[in-house]
PDB file of all heavy atoms in Angstrom:
ATOM      1  N   CYS A 121      -4.892 -14.952   7.706  1.00  0.00           N
ATOM      2  CA  CYS A 121      -5.769 -13.814   7.956  1.00  0.00           C
ATOM      3  C   CYS A 121      -5.312 -12.547   7.257  1.00  0.00           C
ATOM      4  O   CYS A 121      -6.101 -11.617   7.154  1.00  0.00           O
ATOM      5  CB  CYS A 121      -5.855 -13.564   9.455  1.00  0.00           C
ATOM      6  SG  CYS A 121      -4.332 -12.955  10.159  1.00  0.00           S
ATOM      7  N   GLY A 122      -4.090 -12.472   6.828  1.00  0.00           N
ATOM      8  CA  GLY A 122      -3.584 -11.292   6.198  1.00  0.00           C
ATOM      9  C   GLY A 122      -2.686 -10.468   7.094  1.00  0.00           C
ATOM     10  O   GLY A 122      -1.842  -9.718   6.669  1.00  0.00           O
ATOM     11  N   TYR A 123      -2.826 -10.649   8.411  1.00  0.00           N
ATOM     12  CA  TYR A 123      -2.015  -9.875   9.366  1.00  0.00           C
ATOM     13  C   TYR A 123      -0.702 -10.571   9.643  1.00  0.00           C
ATOM     14  O   TYR A 123       0.360  -9.979   9.505  1.00  0.00           O
ATOM     15  CB  TYR A 123      -2.794  -9.612  10.638  1.00  0.00           C
ATOM     16  CG  TYR A 123      -1.973  -8.857  11.677  1.00  0.00           C
ATOM     17  CD1 TYR A 123      -1.732  -7.497  11.496  1.00  0.00           C
ATOM     18  CD2 TYR A 123      -1.490  -9.471  12.794  1.00  0.00           C
ATOM     19  CE1 TYR A 123      -0.969  -6.789  12.436  1.00  0.00           C
ATOM     20  CE2 TYR A 123      -0.758  -8.784  13.725  1.00  0.00           C
ATOM     21  CZ  TYR A 123      -0.509  -7.409  13.504  1.00  0.00           C
ATOM     22  OH  TYR A 123       0.242  -6.758  14.428  1.00  0.00           O
ATOM     23  N   CYS A 124      -0.775 -11.843  10.055  1.00  0.00           N
ATOM     24  CA  CYS A 124       0.468 -12.524  10.472  1.00  0.00           C
ATOM     25  C   CYS A 124       0.968 -13.538   9.453  1.00  0.00           C
ATOM     26  O   CYS A 124       1.775 -14.394   9.774  1.00  0.00           O
ATOM     27  CB  CYS A 124       0.288 -13.212  11.844  1.00  0.00           C
ATOM     28  SG  CYS A 124      -1.030 -14.462  11.858  1.00  0.00           S
ATOM     29  N   ASN A 125       0.510 -13.416   8.210  1.00  0.00           N
ATOM     30  CA  ASN A 125       0.870 -14.374   7.173  1.00  0.00           C
ATOM     31  C   ASN A 125       2.390 -14.505   7.076  1.00  0.00           C
ATOM     32  O   ASN A 125       2.897 -15.610   6.980  1.00  0.00           O
ATOM     33  CB  ASN A 125       0.322 -13.951   5.821  1.00  0.00           C
ATOM     34  CG  ASN A 125      -1.156 -14.097   5.728  1.00  0.00           C
ATOM     35  OD1 ASN A 125      -1.852 -14.453   6.704  1.00  0.00           O
ATOM     36  ND2 ASN A 125      -1.735 -13.771   4.585  1.00  0.00           N
ATOM     37  N   ALA A 126       3.109 -13.429   6.987  1.00  0.00           N
ATOM     38  CA  ALA A 126       4.530 -13.459   6.787  1.00  0.00           C
ATOM     39  C   ALA A 126       5.214 -14.226   7.907  1.00  0.00           C
ATOM     40  O   ALA A 126       6.074 -15.062   7.646  1.00  0.00           O
ATOM     41  CB  ALA A 126       5.109 -12.058   6.652  1.00  0.00           C
ATOM     42  N   GLY A 127       4.742 -13.978   9.135  1.00  0.00           N
ATOM     43  CA  GLY A 127       5.368 -14.698  10.247  1.00  0.00           C
ATOM     44  C   GLY A 127       5.130 -16.201  10.191  1.00  0.00           C
ATOM     45  O   GLY A 127       6.014 -16.997  10.388  1.00  0.00           O
ATOM     46  N   LYS A 128       3.886 -16.608   9.890  1.00  0.00           N
ATOM     47  CA  LYS A 128       3.570 -17.999   9.819  1.00  0.00           C
ATOM     48  C   LYS A 128       4.321 -18.678   8.632  1.00  0.00           C
ATOM     49  O   LYS A 128       4.894 -19.741   8.793  1.00  0.00           O
ATOM     50  CB  LYS A 128       2.073 -18.215   9.597  1.00  0.00           C
ATOM     51  CG  LYS A 128       1.268 -18.136  10.852  1.00  0.00           C
ATOM     52  CD  LYS A 128      -0.107 -18.639  10.683  1.00  0.00           C
ATOM     53  CE  LYS A 128      -1.002 -17.597  10.117  1.00  0.00           C
ATOM     54  NZ  LYS A 128      -2.427 -17.837  10.344  1.00  0.00           N
ATOM     55  N   VAL A 129       4.236 -18.061   7.466  1.00  0.00           N
ATOM     56  CA  VAL A 129       4.864 -18.657   6.297  1.00  0.00           C
ATOM     57  C   VAL A 129       6.372 -18.760   6.441  1.00  0.00           C
ATOM     58  O   VAL A 129       6.968 -19.791   6.181  1.00  0.00           O
ATOM     59  CB  VAL A 129       4.462 -17.865   5.038  1.00  0.00           C
ATOM     60  CG1 VAL A 129       5.347 -18.271   3.811  1.00  0.00           C
ATOM     61  CG2 VAL A 129       3.015 -18.042   4.715  1.00  0.00           C
ATOM     62  N   PHE A 130       7.032 -17.681   6.879  1.00  0.00           N
ATOM     63  CA  PHE A 130       8.484 -17.714   6.968  1.00  0.00           C
ATOM     64  C   PHE A 130       8.943 -18.578   8.142  1.00  0.00           C
ATOM     65  O   PHE A 130      10.066 -19.164   8.043  1.00  0.00           O
ATOM     66  CB  PHE A 130       9.060 -16.282   7.033  1.00  0.00           C
ATOM     67  CG  PHE A 130       8.998 -15.563   5.720  1.00  0.00           C
ATOM     68  CD1 PHE A 130       8.682 -14.209   5.663  1.00  0.00           C
ATOM     69  CD2 PHE A 130       9.241 -16.233   4.504  1.00  0.00           C
ATOM     70  CE1 PHE A 130       8.618 -13.520   4.459  1.00  0.00           C
ATOM     71  CE2 PHE A 130       9.177 -15.553   3.299  1.00  0.00           C
ATOM     72  CZ  PHE A 130       8.882 -14.225   3.274  1.00  0.00           C
ATOM     73  N   GLU A 131       8.212 -18.662   9.225  1.00  0.00           N
ATOM     74  CA  GLU A 131       8.588 -19.597  10.269  1.00  0.00           C
ATOM     75  C   GLU A 131       8.455 -21.028   9.770  1.00  0.00           C
ATOM     76  O   GLU A 131       9.349 -21.844  10.040  1.00  0.00           O
ATOM     77  CB  GLU A 131       7.724 -19.352  11.515  1.00  0.00           C
ATOM     78  CG  GLU A 131       8.237 -20.106  12.739  1.00  0.00           C
ATOM     79  CD  GLU A 131       9.630 -19.721  13.144  1.00  0.00           C
ATOM     80  OE1 GLU A 131       9.954 -18.515  13.149  1.00  0.00           O
ATOM     81  OE2 GLU A 131      10.395 -20.598  13.550  1.00  0.00           O
ATOM     82  N   ALA A 132       7.389 -21.306   9.038  1.00  0.00           N
ATOM     83  CA  ALA A 132       7.260 -22.674   8.478  1.00  0.00           C
ATOM     84  C   ALA A 132       8.411 -22.956   7.518  1.00  0.00           C
ATOM     85  O   ALA A 132       9.017 -24.049   7.562  1.00  0.00           O
ATOM     86  CB  ALA A 132       5.947 -22.771   7.709  1.00  0.00           C
ATOM     87  N   TYR A 133       8.767 -21.976   6.657  1.00  0.00           N
ATOM     88  CA  TYR A 133       9.861 -22.153   5.758  1.00  0.00           C
ATOM     89  C   TYR A 133      11.152 -22.425   6.488  1.00  0.00           C
ATOM     90  O   TYR A 133      11.892 -23.360   6.146  1.00  0.00           O
ATOM     91  CB  TYR A 133      10.044 -20.924   4.846  1.00  0.00           C
ATOM     92  CG  TYR A 133      11.290 -20.977   4.005  1.00  0.00           C
ATOM     93  CD1 TYR A 133      11.371 -21.790   2.907  1.00  0.00           C
ATOM     94  CD2 TYR A 133      12.363 -20.191   4.332  1.00  0.00           C
ATOM     95  CE1 TYR A 133      12.517 -21.869   2.122  1.00  0.00           C
ATOM     96  CE2 TYR A 133      13.537 -20.203   3.601  1.00  0.00           C
ATOM     97  CZ  TYR A 133      13.591 -21.041   2.510  1.00  0.00           C
ATOM     98  OH  TYR A 133      14.759 -21.117   1.766  1.00  0.00           O
ATOM     99  N   ASP A 134      11.446 -21.707   7.526  1.00  0.00           N
ATOM    100  CA  ASP A 134      12.679 -21.867   8.244  1.00  0.00           C
ATOM    101  C   ASP A 134      12.723 -23.227   8.905  1.00  0.00           C
ATOM    102  O   ASP A 134      13.772 -23.890   8.864  1.00  0.00           O
ATOM    103  CB  ASP A 134      12.783 -20.738   9.335  1.00  0.00           C
ATOM    104  CG  ASP A 134      14.128 -20.702  10.036  1.00  0.00           C
ATOM    105  OD1 ASP A 134      15.166 -20.648   9.266  1.00  0.00           O
ATOM    106  OD2 ASP A 134      14.202 -20.696  11.242  1.00  0.00           O
ATOM    107  N   ILE A 135      11.620 -23.673   9.462  1.00  0.00           N
ATOM    108  CA  ILE A 135      11.553 -24.967  10.118  1.00  0.00           C
ATOM    109  C   ILE A 135      11.867 -26.098   9.096  1.00  0.00           C
ATOM    110  O   ILE A 135      12.706 -26.951   9.293  1.00  0.00           O
ATOM    111  CB  ILE A 135      10.228 -25.206  10.788  1.00  0.00           C
ATOM    112  CG1 ILE A 135      10.188 -24.293  12.035  1.00  0.00           C
ATOM    113  CG2 ILE A 135      10.055 -26.663  11.236  1.00  0.00           C
ATOM    114  CD1 ILE A 135       8.751 -24.172  12.598  1.00  0.00           C
ATOM    115  N   ILE A 136      11.150 -26.032   7.948  1.00  0.00           N
ATOM    116  CA  ILE A 136      11.287 -27.167   7.002  1.00  0.00           C
ATOM    117  C   ILE A 136      12.590 -27.066   6.155  1.00  0.00           C
ATOM    118  O   ILE A 136      13.036 -28.034   5.595  1.00  0.00           O
ATOM    119  CB  ILE A 136      10.038 -27.356   6.116  1.00  0.00           C
ATOM    120  CG1 ILE A 136       9.767 -26.192   5.234  1.00  0.00           C
ATOM    121  CG2 ILE A 136       8.830 -27.650   6.998  1.00  0.00           C
ATOM    122  CD1 ILE A 136       8.572 -26.353   4.338  1.00  0.00           C
ATOM    123  N   TYR A 137      13.121 -25.847   6.061  1.00  0.00           N
ATOM    124  CA  TYR A 137      14.382 -25.662   5.359  1.00  0.00           C
ATOM    125  C   TYR A 137      15.542 -26.283   6.142  1.00  0.00           C
ATOM    126  O   TYR A 137      16.441 -26.856   5.592  1.00  0.00           O
ATOM    127  CB  TYR A 137      14.658 -24.169   5.090  1.00  0.00           C
ATOM    128  CG  TYR A 137      15.882 -23.884   4.322  1.00  0.00           C
ATOM    129  CD1 TYR A 137      15.920 -24.039   2.963  1.00  0.00           C
ATOM    130  CD2 TYR A 137      17.030 -23.448   5.003  1.00  0.00           C
ATOM    131  CE1 TYR A 137      17.100 -23.778   2.230  1.00  0.00           C
ATOM    132  CE2 TYR A 137      18.188 -23.158   4.274  1.00  0.00           C
ATOM    133  CZ  TYR A 137      18.207 -23.340   2.905  1.00  0.00           C
ATOM    134  OH  TYR A 137      19.373 -23.081   2.209  1.00  0.00           O
ATOM    135  N   LYS A 138      15.430 -26.101   7.492  1.00  0.00           N
ATOM    136  CA  LYS A 138      16.531 -26.650   8.339  1.00  0.00           C
ATOM    137  C   LYS A 138      16.399 -28.145   8.589  1.00  0.00           C
ATOM    138  O   LYS A 138      17.395 -28.819   8.919  1.00  0.00           O
ATOM    139  CB  LYS A 138      16.467 -25.935   9.703  1.00  0.00           C
ATOM    140  CG  LYS A 138      16.934 -24.543   9.687  1.00  0.00           C
ATOM    141  CD  LYS A 138      17.002 -24.046  11.119  1.00  0.00           C
ATOM    142  CE  LYS A 138      16.548 -22.637  11.305  1.00  0.00           C
ATOM    143  NZ  LYS A 138      16.414 -22.217  12.659  1.00  0.00           N
ATOM    144  N   ASN A 139      15.212 -28.678   8.533  1.00  0.00           N
ATOM    145  CA  ASN A 139      14.946 -30.051   8.914  1.00  0.00           C
ATOM    146  C   ASN A 139      13.832 -30.633   8.044  1.00  0.00           C
ATOM    147  O   ASN A 139      12.686 -30.229   8.156  1.00  0.00           O
ATOM    148  CB  ASN A 139      14.565 -30.113  10.380  1.00  0.00           C
ATOM    149  CG  ASN A 139      14.378 -31.521  10.891  1.00  0.00           C
ATOM    150  OD1 ASN A 139      14.294 -32.482  10.107  1.00  0.00           O
ATOM    151  ND2 ASN A 139      14.285 -31.682  12.168  1.00  0.00           N
TER     152      ASN A 139
END
Side-chain angles (χ1 to χ4, degrees):
C121 69
Y123 179 72
C124 61
N125 291 1
K128 280 194 278 202
V129 168
F130 287 141
E131 190 61 41
Y133 171 74
D134 190 51
I135 290 167
I136 65 178
Y137 182 79
K138 288 188 219 172
N139 183 348

